[in-house]
């Protein structure tokens, strides 16, 4: 019997102006011990499947028909207390943000023991079982007495993995379990999940936006778009010989880790919202499909095939979808220019811990670095390696405790007031969490021209510049009147980018600009940055989790480890012939 | 700033029942306080010793009856609104300016300023507000001043906490990076974000000030013995409660509804203020694909 089976699962969102389908009658099964990956673009509805399993649909969403059964028992009709008995025991969940999933004010040990207690472990054995559960995921016993915010995201996620598998579940629903983790931690967490899952024979439903990640650990893959499964089959077969144009375009939009750097494939337009798709009669991908026929727009294709099924009437044309050309080489620069940013022996310590037990840790130390004009540099490293602090130091948001920082040849570590002026003119930064990075009550056209507001330019001037910037970012001018909350994730990042580039800085610092984006949006943003580079001539310091993104965009890569730069060189050299253990760990965790 | 108010605060107010009810009662009291001389059927101080302790006669000369000295209860209620407004308004606004200013300065400047303000506010709230107000009034300060001085730490602490939550956001750092002076960053990026909390608190503090004024008047402190105040009416009505209960009931009901109205207003504001988008998105982030 299947562990989880969805038959015609249909979920609708009740909105002003009627119900909008979010899941449109999808079918899939998860067999015992098997891993099914649901791969989606933002808004395709895969996350809703996970919520439906827990019977915790977001407000406004409701399951209207179809069935979702767990080991033959219908989840939809199940009484609430029976459901509660199932969750955490038979069905376990792994969340995307481990730190937020743990109670902030109770120790890890208390939370783990409370969970074990609920699973029926005797009080005397709690401690031993908790230690054993942690040992199973390779976390030290000392962690038990600590609070979640003392731990790294990786440790938090490992604790949650230990909790999830403590009850020997039949099914684990993992929603982007590595979204908050760096590449090395991603590898370790996935290895821990797989080891426990294999030992217990548990099945898993993995919901992710990363096709390669899903390919690395799933037996079967289901690719979703617009609330439909458009292709489902054995992972190797789906990845090697996709039979749906959408899958193919997702694969071509993912930067490769070795070989040449081909241009990424761009879909003609971003995904439409579920409201716009509600009226589409034919294939939901047809409006964006490069190989569509007139027929596709009118009639919905059935999901056909034996083991590897796809909902496309012209699978033969899928291999014809290719991206043209290669990433252009960086623009030519004269030799011997003054570096736009030079760090000499920069160090900074942070104090942590309660007032009675202060600990001073060198967050970064002895950093020396030069970035020449127009150079794109990526900084990669494990969580807590100091890369984000390095970015903030370069941006002038933090002052170094030791060493010198020179911006375009001017020492900015001497005089604070003139340093601020120098910073504003030379360096701008794009902040990681794009939503809070934009003033929520200001319109897009006002946000992107904030740099002009500093100089109190006239509104006419600002209006014109806003139009220019939006056009440069490839955004429709109509978006200028929107508020940040009315934009999609990818659009918000463009707005943040436009604001930083408004004053034409010589160096752009970006922290986590690509984190959490799906492949098409990421490819779009990468292409945009490469185009802007040739037009605006700025250097980039990019703190980045995804090594393939770093390699695609930047010719030079720095690897940081425990506050120091341990490798520095051409991207292909560093990733092709890693020398430091930290680099090797990062590479090992990146799915290829 | 104007545009901010229009877009950011207005839309959802209108739809909240609590806010409407609260606004209605507050505006009614304000209006009555302003036009009391025109509206009142009698001089609130004029005594008619031949008609004392009259009961309610809605169509009579004294619609809500008279008190022990033959003064019109309705007129006294109307003029009493003036005392309430004259205390609550300056007290709440003054506390907002003083406490809010100190709180924002402390949070934004940090360091020694923050510690000093923190200690001062903590020491200040160690006194119960009514006791503090009694001390201040006994020391000769006005009732409004007393109410303000007992309420400012509330604004100080709440706004400092709100500021700390906002100051770490990306848009604040971005404004700093773009080269705005620090003071302007506070005004442009932080103040609008803490304004909803400040306005909600304003209503609550005003309710407290109305109550405080009544308490002080009841105890006959801080003002002329024959002043017009709901608290004074309560004290007078207390003595004749069995002869003409309206003398106690009327000011009690008015006092209650004004304070409840203000509290509802504050409650409603806190619940509904925030960014109201023309097109509400789905609650779930995963579904936020509605951009074009």
């Amino acid at each position: 019997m299947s562990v989880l089976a969805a038959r015609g699962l249909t979920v609708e969102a009740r909105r002003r102006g009627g119900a909008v389908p979010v899941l449109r009658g999808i079918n899939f099964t998860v067999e015992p011990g098997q891993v099914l990956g649901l791969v989606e673009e933002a808004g395709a509805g895969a996350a809703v499947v996970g919520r439906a399993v827990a019977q915790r649909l977001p407000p406004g969403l409701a399951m209207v028909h179809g069935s979702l059964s767990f080991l033959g028992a219908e989840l939809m009709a199940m009484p609430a207390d029976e459901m509660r008995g199932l969750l955490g025991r038979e069905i376990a969940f792994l969340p995307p943000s481990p730190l937020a999933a743990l109670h902030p004010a109770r120790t890890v040990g208390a939370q783990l023991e409370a969970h074990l207690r609920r699973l029926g472990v005797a009080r005397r054995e709690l401690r031993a079982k908790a230690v054993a559960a942690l040992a199973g995921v390779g976390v030290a016993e000392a962690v038990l007495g600590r609070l979640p915010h003392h731990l790294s995201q990786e440790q938090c996620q490992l604790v949650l993995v230990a909790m999830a598998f403590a009850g020997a579940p039949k099914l684990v629903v993992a929603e982007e379990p590595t979204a908050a983790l760096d590449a090395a931690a991603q590898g370790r967490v996935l290895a821990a999940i797989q080891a426990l899952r294999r030992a217990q024979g548990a099945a898993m439903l993995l919901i992710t936006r990363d096709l390669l990640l899903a390919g690395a650990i799933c037996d079967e893959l289901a690719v979703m778009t617009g609330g439909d499964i458009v292709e489902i089959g054995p992972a190797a077969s789906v990845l090697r010989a996709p039979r749906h144009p959408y899958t193919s375009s997702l694969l071509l939009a993912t930067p490769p880790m070795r070989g040449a750097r081909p241009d990424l494939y761009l879909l003609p337009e971003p995904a439409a919202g579920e409201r716009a798709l509600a009226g589409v009669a034919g294939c939901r991908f047809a409006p964006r499909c490069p190989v569509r026929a007139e027929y596709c727009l009118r009639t919905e294709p059935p999901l056909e095939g034996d083991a590897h099924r796809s909902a496309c009437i012209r699978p033969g044309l899928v291999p014809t979808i290719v991206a043209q050309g290669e990433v252009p080489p960086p623009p030519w620069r004269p030799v011997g220019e003054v570096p736009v940013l030079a760090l000499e022996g920069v160090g900074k310590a942070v104090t942590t811990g309660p007032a009675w037990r202060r600990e001073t840790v060198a967050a970064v130390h002895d950093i020396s670095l030069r970035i020449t004009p127009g150079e794109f540099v990526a900084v990669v490293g494990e969580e807590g390696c100091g890369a984000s602090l390095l970015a903030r130091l370069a941006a002038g948001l933090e002052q170094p405790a030791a060493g010198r920082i020179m911006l375009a040849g001017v020492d900015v570590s001497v005089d604070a007031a003139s340093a601020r002026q120098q910073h504003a003119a030379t360096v701008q930064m794009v902040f990681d969490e794009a939503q809070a990075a934009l003033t929520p009550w200001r319109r897009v056209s006002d946000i992107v021209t904030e740099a002009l507001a500093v100089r109190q330019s006239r509104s006419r001037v600002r209006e014109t510049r806003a139009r220019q910037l939006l056009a440069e970012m490839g955004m429709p001018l109509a978006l200028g009147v929107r508020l940040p909350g009315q934009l999609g994730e990818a659009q918000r990042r463009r707005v943040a980018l436009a604001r930083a580039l408004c004053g034409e800085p010589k160096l752009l610092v970006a922290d986590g600009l690509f984190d959490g984006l799906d492949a098409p949006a990421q490819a779009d943003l990468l292409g945009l940055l490469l185009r802007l580079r040739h037009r605006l001539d700025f250097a980039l310091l990019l703190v980045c989790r995804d090594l393939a993104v770093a390699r695609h965009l930047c010719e030079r890569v720095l690897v940081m480890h425990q506050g120091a730069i341990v490798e520095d060189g051409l991207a292909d050299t560093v990733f092709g012939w890693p020398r430091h253990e930290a680099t090797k760990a990062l590479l090992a965790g990146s799915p290829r | 700033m104007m545009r901010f108010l229009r877009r950011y605060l207005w839309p959802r107010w209108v739809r909240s029942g609590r806010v409407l009810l609260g606004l209605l009662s507050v505006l009614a009291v304000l209006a009555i306080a302003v036009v009391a001389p025109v509206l009142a059927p009698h001089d609130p101080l004029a005594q008619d010793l031949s008609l004392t302790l009259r009961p309610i006669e809605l169509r009579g000369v004294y619609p809500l009856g008279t008190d022990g000295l033959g003064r019109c209860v309705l007129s006294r209620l109307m003029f009493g609104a003036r005392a309430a407004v004259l205390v609550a308004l300056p007290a709440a606004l003054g506390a907002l300016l003083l406490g809010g200013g100190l709180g924002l300065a402390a949070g934004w400047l940090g360091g020694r300023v923050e510690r000093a303000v923190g200690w001062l506010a903590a020491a200040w709230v160690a006194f119960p507000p009514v006791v503090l107000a009694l001390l201040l009034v006994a020391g000769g300060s006005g009732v409004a001043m007393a109410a303000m001085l007992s309420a400012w730490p509330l604004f100080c602490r709440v706004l400092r906490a709100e500021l700390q939550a906002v100051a770490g956001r990306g848009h604040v750092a971005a404004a700093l990076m773009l080269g705005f002076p620090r003071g302007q960053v506070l005004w442009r990026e932080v103040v609008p974000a803490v304004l909803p909390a400040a306005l909600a608190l304003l209503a609550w503090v005003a309710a407290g000030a109305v109550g405080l004024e009544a308490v002080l008047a009841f105890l006959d402190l801080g003002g002329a013995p024959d002043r017009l105040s709901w608290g004074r009416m309560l004290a007078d009505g207390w003595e004749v409660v069995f002869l003409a209960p309206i003398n106690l009931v009327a000011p009690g009901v008015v006092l209650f509804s004004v304070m409840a109205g203000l509290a509802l207003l504050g409650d409603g504001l806190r619940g509904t203020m925030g960014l109201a988008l023309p097109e509400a998105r789905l609650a779930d982030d995963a579904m936020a694909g509605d951009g074009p």
Side-chain angles (χ1 to χ4, degrees), chain A residues 28 56 73 87 98 217 229 248 258 345 442 454 523 531:
Chain A
F28 63 83
R56 292 270 189 287
L87 299 179
I217 62 170
I229 291 181
S248 175
R258 35 182 125 269
R442 212 160 274 151
V454 182
R531 278 199 307 281

Side-chain angles (χ1 to χ4, degrees), chain B residues 32-242:
Chain B
I32 288 171
V34 172
V35 298
V38 186
L39 218 58
H42 300 274
D43 179 350
L45 295 177
Q47 304 181 356
D48 184 348
L49 292 174
S50 63
L51 285 172
T52 58
L53 300 176
R54 299 290 303 164
I56 301 180
E57 286 169 294
L58 288 181
R59 291 170 182 280
V61 187
Y62 295 106
L64 287 183
T66 57
D67 67 0
L69 293 173
R71 295 174 298 194
C72 172
V73 171
L74 181 61
S75 305
R76 287 180 71 75
L77 278 180
M78 288 178 168
F79 276 87
R82 295 190 143 190
V85 169
L86 282 179
V87 169
L89 212 60
L93 288 176
L96 170 66
L97 288 181
L98 179 66
L102 279 175
L104 289 182
W108 198 235
L109 298 175
R112 218 172 287 168
V113 181
E114 177 153 34
R115 251 167 299 160
V117 172
W119 275 106
L120 187 62
W124 209 274
V125 290
F127 291 96
V130 173
V131 176
L132 185 66
L134 284 178
L135 285 177
L136 286 167
V137 169
S141 96
V143 178
M145 180 63 92
M148 181 192 98
L149 288 179
S150 61
W152 75 265
L154 204 58
F155 281 101
C156 179
R157 302 179 128 204
V158 168
L159 290 191
R160 192 182 63 164
E162 290 277 319
L163 176 134
Q164 275 165 347
V166 175
R169 290 199 201 150
H171 63 85
V172 178
L176 285 171
M177 283 225 63
L178 286 170
F180 284 106
R182 279 187 69 85
Q184 258 193 58
V185 175
L186 181 68
W187 176 245
R188 288 171 57 95
E189 307 291 329
V190 179
V191 169
V194 302
L195 207 57
L199 288 181
L201 206 54
L202 197 66
W204 282 321
V205 167
V210 169
L212 186 65
E213 192 272 336
V215 167
L216 291 177
F218 188 86
L219 298 175
D220 209 358
L221 281 166
D226 64 340
R227 75 177 139 162
L228 288 156
S229 157
W230 296 331
R232 196 63 245 157
M233 288 178 74
L234 279 176
D236 291 344
W238 182 247
E239 289 160 14
V240 294
V241 61
F242 294 112

Side-chain angles (χ1 to χ4, degrees), chain A residues 509-533:
Chain A
V509 180
D511 187 356
L513 183 58
F514 295 95
D515 290 353
L517 285 183
D518 51 37
Q522 180 178 294
D524 216 22
L525 200 55
L526 282 169
L528 175 70
L529 271 168
L530 287 170
R531 278 199 307 281
L532 288 173
R533 169 181 206 178

